Amino acid sequence: VTLDNSVKSTGFKSLLETPSGVIDGANKRFVLSSNPVDNFVAGFKNGLLLKRDTDFDMAGRVITMSSAPAGGAVLQFLYSVRR
């Protein structure tokens, strides 16, 4: 899902996406489709906001969860990329 920024001249767009990776109660590693351009990444599990450095860590596009999401959980991440 691509969300439009209110100021289009910024050269950035926001993405809300489900990262790739198996959600099975064992896997903790997930990958975003693009590299975030700034340090802001918001994670959500089943609609609830996750705390960075507590619930998940980031390295480039790779997300490592502190505990593996249970099967059937919904993961989404909001971040900005260059247009």
Side-chain angles (χ1 to χ4, degrees):
V1 174
T2 300
L3 305 174
D4 288 327
N5 288 333
S6 58
V7 180
K8 297 208 181 268
S9 63
T10 63
F12 299 101
K13 66 179 177 179
S14 297
L15 298 178
L16 177 64
E17 72 174 48
T18 298
S20 63
V22 178
I23 300 175
D24 62 359
N27 181 39
K28 293 183 181 183
R29 186 177 179 272
F30 301 89
V31 181
L32 297 173
S33 63
S34 300
N35 282 316
V37 294
D38 56 22
N39 200 28
F40 174 78
V41 176
F44 301 89
K45 183 172 75 173
N46 297 329
L48 300 175
L49 181 63
L50 300 171
K51 292 178 83 173
R52 189 171 180 167
D53 301 324
T54 299
D55 298 318
F56 71 97
D57 287 318
M58 292 283 310
R61 297 177 15 205
V62 178
I63 300 158
T64 303
M65 303 293 293
S66 59
S67 61
V74 176
L75 285 181
Q76 292 183 305
F77 286 82
L78 176 65
Y79 62 101
S80 295
V81 297
R82 295 198 188 281
R83 287 190 185 271

